[in-house]
């Protein structure tokens, strides 16, 4: 059986060249599709991510200079964890023209990308994401880094991977819950910028929930294209890139208030989007039918555990938001499906109201 050619999506500009490849059977073609100036690869992977790392290793047979297994917990996503990747790569004789390959979820791609950014002042790397969240989001856009005791993702660098191989087979071992939570980010991405892709995404929901890989590929081609366009026009977090934070002001606060391990990131973002939709209807003229349409889509990707909405906790975490100032927090509002804008200084009181109003219909 010959697979059709992968869809190629270019990301980046100003001398930074990065390309996502989306399609079936790409892992088996890793030797042809990944990039290393020297032809040698250092494979960084988590054992929890299933057989994908073994398959990538087999496809690159003869070109793997080192296997570097890591533990991919949020606590391990630290400078020390990246230090261990650096130690292992240098001990195995890493040279400047070698490349790393990350196989895993967002924790593995964030850590490997950051190690690649600092090793020998920068070596090439590639990403083979194994979660829907990393396929839709974490592996795309060049942000890499680790957590600090003072907060998540506080230390890092922009260092885009040369190639991102998006092969749905890599996510087969993922739980249903993680599979669906990751898709929330793909829907979010098309909703902020692409009405046509949004209507295609809506038609695919029931197939996606059944884990149809054709539907996943089609959704990811759309959402990765949108994210690629946004980050290419704006690699370093200017106004357009901020649109990708849709649902994340309340989402991050729900995630923190509910405590570690309670809500998946994508689940917290789903609740955050529900709150942002409520604000969008009041402040940005989002039509009620469109709000309902998106809430229905979120419902289909659920169910989600109830978030903690305690006003004191939410106030605390909203104040820690990077987008907070004296007037309030900036937020991303939807004017219509496929069209978003950033609004500065939305008062905390209104965010708290939105956090109570956020409701996703049951199924
Ligand atoms: N760089 C960015 O732009 C960006 C964007 C979004 C998120 N992130 C980061 O990504 C991280 C979250 O990534 P994630 O949601 O992919 O979760 P994750 O990497 O924490 O993986 C979740 C769990 O799933 C397991 N797993 C991974 N692939 C699997 C598979 N195929 N089968 C079975 N289990 C598998 C992992 O071992 C882990 O236990 C966070 O640290 C977040 O900060 C980064
Ligand atoms: Zn997110």
């Amino acid at each position: 059986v010959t697979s059709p050619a992968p869809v190629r999506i270019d990301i980046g500009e100003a001398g930074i060249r990065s390309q996502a490849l989306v399609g079936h059977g790409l892992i088996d073609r890793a030797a042809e599709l990944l990039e290393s100036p020297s032809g040698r690869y250092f494979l960084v992977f988590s054992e929890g991510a299933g057989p994908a790392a073994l398959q990538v290793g087999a496809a690159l047979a003869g070109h793997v200079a080192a296997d570097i297994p890591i533990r991919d917990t949020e606590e391990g996503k630290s400078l020390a964890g990246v230090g261990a990747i650096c130690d292992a790569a240098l001990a195995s004789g890493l040279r400047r023209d070698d490349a790393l390959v990350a196989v895993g979820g967002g924790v593995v791609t964030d850590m490997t990308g950051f190690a690649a950014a600092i090793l020998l002042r920068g070596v090439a790397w590639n990403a083979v994401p194994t979660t829907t969240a990393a396929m839709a989001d974490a592996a795309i856009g060049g942000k890499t880094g680790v957590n600090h005791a003072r907060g998540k993702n506080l230390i890092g660098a922009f260092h885009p991977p040369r190639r991102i191989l998006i092969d749905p087979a890599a996510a087969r071992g993922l739980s249903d819950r993680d599979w669906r939570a990751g898709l929330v980010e793909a829907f979010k991405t098309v909703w902020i910028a692409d009405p046509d892709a949004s209507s295609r995404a809506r038609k695919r929901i029931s197939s996606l929930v059944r884990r149809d890989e054709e539907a996943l590929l089609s959704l990811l081609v759309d959402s990765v294209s949108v994210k690629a366009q946004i980050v290419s026009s704006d690699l370093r977090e200017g106004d357009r890139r901020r649109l990708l934070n849709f649902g994340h002001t309340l989402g991050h606060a729900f995630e923190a208030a509910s405590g570690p391990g309670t809500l998946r990131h994508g689940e917290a973002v789903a609740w955050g989007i529900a709150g942002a939709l409520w604000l969008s209807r009041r402040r940005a003229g989002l039509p009620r039918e469109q709000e309902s349409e998106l809430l229905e889509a979120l419902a289909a990707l659920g169910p989600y555990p109830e978030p903690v909405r305690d006003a004191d906790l939410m106030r605390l975490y909203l104040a820690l938001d990077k987008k907070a100032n004296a007037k309030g927090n900036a937020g991303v509002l939807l004017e219509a499906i496929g069209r978003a804008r950033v609004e500065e200084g939305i008062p905390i009181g209104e965010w708290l109201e939105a956090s109570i109003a956020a409701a996703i219909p049951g199924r």
Side-chain angles (χ1 to χ4, degrees):
V1 189
T2 56
S3 339
V7 177
R8 293 171 186 268
I9 301 165
D10 288 312
I11 310 165
E13 55 170 17
I16 303 165
R17 202 178 41 77
S18 181
Q19 191 174 60
L21 303 169
V22 188
H24 291 292
L26 303 191
I27 288 185
D28 295 333
R29 296 168 58 194
E32 162 205 347
L33 300 176
L34 298 182
E35 249 189 47
S36 167
S38 70
R40 299 204 310 165
Y41 294 95
F42 290 64
L43 199 58
V44 185
F45 58 97
S46 97
E47 268 153 4
L54 273 177
Q55 288 160 359
V56 173
L60 294 175
H63 303 276
V64 178
D67 282 313
I68 307 178
I70 62 170
R71 277 186 50 249
D72 57 352
T73 59
E74 242 358 278
E75 307 76 66
K77 187 179 143 180
S78 62
L79 275 178
V82 165
I85 296 174
C86 294
D87 290 346
L90 294 170
S92 303
L94 181 81
R95 298 187 299 250
R96 294 195 64 155
D97 55 352
D98 293 328
L100 308 190
V101 182
V103 186
V107 169
V108 178
T109 57
D110 273 12
M111 289 175 70
T112 305
F114 186 47
I118 59 178
L119 272 164
L120 307 176
R121 296 200 186 84
V123 299
W125 73 290
N126 300 268
V128 183
T130 65
T131 63
T132 51
M135 291 175 180
D137 200 17
I140 313 291
K143 285 193 197 176
T144 71
V146 296
N147 301 325
H148 183 270
R150 294 219 165 237
K152 284 189 68 177
N153 299 322
L154 293 183
I155 297 172
F158 281 94
H159 189 53
R162 296 281 181 99
R163 291 276 192 276
I164 303 133
L165 289 198
I166 299 182
D167 180 339
R172 277 187 195 150
L174 210 56
S175 69
D176 278 347
R177 183 179 173 189
D178 285 312
W179 213 84
R180 286 185 270 115
L183 294 184
V184 172
E185 297 273 11
F187 277 81
K188 169 217 73 181
T189 304
V190 297
W191 288 344
I192 59 175
D194 191 333
D196 295 335
S198 299
S199 84
R200 289 193 290 275
R202 177 192 190 186
K203 296 192 190 102
R204 290 181 192 124
I205 288 184
S206 56
S207 319
L208 287 166
V209 171
R210 281 186 277 108
R211 299 181 68 144
D212 179 300
E213 294 184 351
E214 216 55 61
L216 176 67
L217 283 179
S218 307
L219 174 69
L220 290 172
V221 166
D222 277 337
S223 80
V224 171
S225 300
V226 170
K227 185 164 179 184
Q229 270 176 21
I230 291 177
V231 305
S232 300
S233 63
D234 189 8
L235 196 65
R236 283 184 195 260
E237 197 94 27
D239 253 20
R240 246 182 104 56
R241 192 158 185 157
R242 288 168 75 194
L243 298 180
L244 291 163
N245 292 327
F246 180 53
H248 282 62
T249 303
L250 282 178
H252 282 143
F254 281 138
E255 199 173 359
S258 304
T262 309
L263 291 174
R264 298 289 193 268
H265 175 70
E267 295 170 342
V269 169
W271 286 112
I273 290 174
L277 290 172
W278 182 85
L279 281 172
S280 298
R281 200 151 52 70
R282 291 182 28 148
R283 286 180 158 256
L286 177 70
R288 179 183 281 279
E289 324 78 72
Q290 295 194 14
E291 180 193 27
S292 308
E293 180 183 327
L294 300 196
L295 290 173
E296 281 294 320
L298 290 177
L301 297 174
Y304 312 97
E306 259 297 307
V308 168
R309 307 176 195 242
D310 177 85
D312 290 332
L313 277 176
M314 290 298 282
R315 200 188 306 277
L316 173 74
Y317 289 115
L318 284 166
L320 292 178
D321 188 289
K322 278 177 278 185
K323 297 169 293 294
N325 66 24
K327 282 208 200 130
N329 291 39
V332 180
L333 302 182
L334 222 53
E335 297 170 338
I337 297 174
R339 197 170 73 237
R341 68 163 193 244
V342 174
E343 188 145 317
E344 305 289 343
I346 302 174
I348 291 286
E350 232 175 294
W351 286 110
L352 292 177
E353 268 185 88
S355 76
I356 301 299
I360 299 174
R363 280 253 137 185

